Amino acid sequence: MSPPAATLETVTPVNTGMSFKKDLAVKPLPTAQSKALAELQNQWDSFTFAPIRESQVSRAMTRRYFADLDNYAESDIVIIGAGSCGLSTAYMLGKQRPDLRIAIIEASVSPGGGAWLGGQLFSAMVMRKPAEAFLNELGVPYEDEGDFVVVKHAALFTSTLLSRVLSFPNIKLFNATAVEDLITRPAPTEADPNAVRIAGVVTNWTLVSMHHDDQSCMDPNTINAPLVISTTGHDGPFGAFSVKRLVSMQQLEKLGGMRGLDMRSAEDAIVKRTREVVKGLIVGGMELSEVDGANRMGPTFGAMALSGVKAAEEALKVIDERKAENEY
């Protein structure tokens, strides 16, 4: 007889009004039946894993994934890009607004963008002050070098931030998933009768997106959301996606194009200019350099973290208004 399939129940977090699926077989903390690691040591001759059927593994993954697709098909906020800026944005929103349903869409299998290394193939991460305030918030240690601080390995920052974000019950990361387009709604103004607001994203698995030229009939999926925050980085295979799409749909006349490297001006510009570029779309991080013609800053990451902090602030200013506009 097959082992019983996993059972699911609906769990409503306190004071959020949100409904999430949770598998009761998953125990986040040790229970009376759980073994301590010390009990396994020096017992390898009698060691064996608990019995399981292959179908249980498949069901454990697919049930959760498709439950997440169902739960987040209507989200409050979608963040495009799980690099240092997108994850910083998600952390601030998750901490301040546990009532919001937040989906993160990341094209790569591994979230983190370029923040796993500090620059080139060097491991240390540099952040100019006062961005150490964000490191203090996360509890990431660093060396103080006066006007800047150094984290011993960029992966320490990125893995800490990623684990904090994924621990929020109202945030779901869909990695290996690409945003192929933006959902729009008419939002005419007196100045621009053709203006639109952004009302969500069009998604597909990244491997599917990469093969549209040699395969056919691979239509996308969608997520509706009254507010999208795009942090896809500067121009590249998936970079600056949202702002390039704004140009092609004639919502921006043209992109300014990223200028040469100038750390001193670039970081200030990225943080200060993080904003809602068109109604329903906030842009942060290096994607902004393509909109505004700002300089690049190279291997210093303070602007990425603080642009995320500001993107969250900008989101909280407009989210209730955008939700009210998103009734259809």
Side-chain angles (χ1 to χ4, degrees):
M1 182 176 176
S2 301
T7 57
L8 294 134
E9 76 169 10
T10 300
V11 177
T12 303
V14 177
N15 295 329
T16 69
M18 300 175 64
S19 178
F20 293 92
K21 301 287 185 182
K22 182 176 180 181
D23 191 316
L24 297 180
V26 177
K27 305 297 183 185
L29 296 173
T31 67
Q33 292 77 36
S34 297
K35 286 185 178 293
L37 184 59
E39 295 179 69
L40 301 179
Q41 295 174 326
N42 300 312
Q43 303 293 327
W44 301 116
D45 288 343
S46 60
F47 171 82
T48 184
F49 282 105
I52 197 170
R53 285 180 64 81
E54 289 78 4
S55 60
Q56 285 182 285
V57 176
S58 180
R59 284 170 169 167
M61 293 186 296
T62 57
R63 284 186 173 187
R64 286 165 175 77
Y65 192 84
F66 287 106
D68 285 333
L69 286 177
D70 181 69
N71 282 329
Y72 287 87
E74 281 282 354
S75 293
D76 295 306
I77 295 176
V78 170
I79 298 172
I80 311 175
S84 48
C85 181
L87 290 174
S88 299
T89 305
Y91 172 80
M92 297 302 296
L93 289 172
K95 180 181 178 181
Q96 296 176 77
R97 289 291 299 270
D99 58 306
L100 296 177
R101 192 184 304 257
I102 301 168
I104 308 173
I105 311 298
E106 168 55 46
S108 177
V109 170
S110 56
W116 291 110
L117 291 168
Q120 199 163 321
L121 294 178
F122 308 135
S123 55
M125 172 179 276
V126 174
M127 284 195 180
R128 292 168 62 202
K129 291 183 176 179
E132 86 281 6
F134 193 70
L135 298 176
N136 294 336
E137 167 73 20
L138 296 177
V140 174
Y142 54 81
E143 299 172 53
D144 194 320
E145 295 282 355
D147 289 334
F148 63 93
V149 301
V150 182
V151 179
K152 68 178 181 179
H153 202 300
L156 177 60
F157 166 76
T158 304
S159 60
T160 302
L161 176 57
L162 181 59
S163 66
R164 296 291 182 86
V165 168
L166 294 180
S167 71
F168 289 115
N170 59 320
I171 296 179
K172 170 61 183 178
L173 168 66
F174 295 95
N175 50 323
T177 304
V179 171
E180 293 191 336
D181 206 349
L182 301 171
I183 298 173
T184 65
R185 297 285 188 267
T189 65
E190 194 170 308
D192 184 2
N194 296 314
V196 301
R197 64 177 174 84
I198 307 305
V201 295
V202 178
T203 65
N204 219 323
W205 284 314
T206 302
L207 290 177
V208 172
S209 293
M210 293 170 66
H211 285 278
H212 281 317
D213 291 338
D214 54 61
Q215 298 292 328
S216 62
C217 299
M218 293 191 288
D219 284 332
N221 199 5
T222 57
I223 299 177
N224 281 112
L227 188 60
V228 174
I229 303 174
S230 192
T231 64
T232 67
H234 54 71
D235 199 4
F238 291 100
F241 170 81
S242 296
V243 296
K244 288 188 289 188
R245 187 68 181 97
L246 291 181
V247 173
S248 65
M249 66 172 69
Q250 300 180 346
Q251 296 302 299
L252 288 178
E253 181 179 352
K254 64 179 182 178
L255 297 182
M258 184 174 64
R259 303 294 196 262
L261 194 151
D262 181 349
M263 288 184 182
R264 293 182 65 129
S265 66
E267 289 207 281
D268 288 357
I270 293 300
V271 175
K272 290 179 178 179
R273 297 285 287 168
T274 297
R275 66 194 187 277
E276 191 176 35
V277 173
V278 299
K279 186 176 282 192
L281 180 70
I282 292 171
V283 179
M286 287 309 295
E287 189 167 359
L288 270 173
S289 67
E290 302 290 352
V291 181
D292 296 337
N295 294 88
R296 65 185 299 178
M297 75 277 302
T300 178
F301 288 81
M304 298 300 96
L306 296 188
S307 177
V309 174
K310 188 167 189 284
E313 288 183 6
E314 296 298 309
L316 295 182
K317 290 177 184 177
V318 301
I319 183 60
D320 292 333
E321 180 181 350
R322 298 293 168 263
K323 287 174 74 172
E325 295 169 339
N326 204 49
E327 293 302 317
Y328 68 95

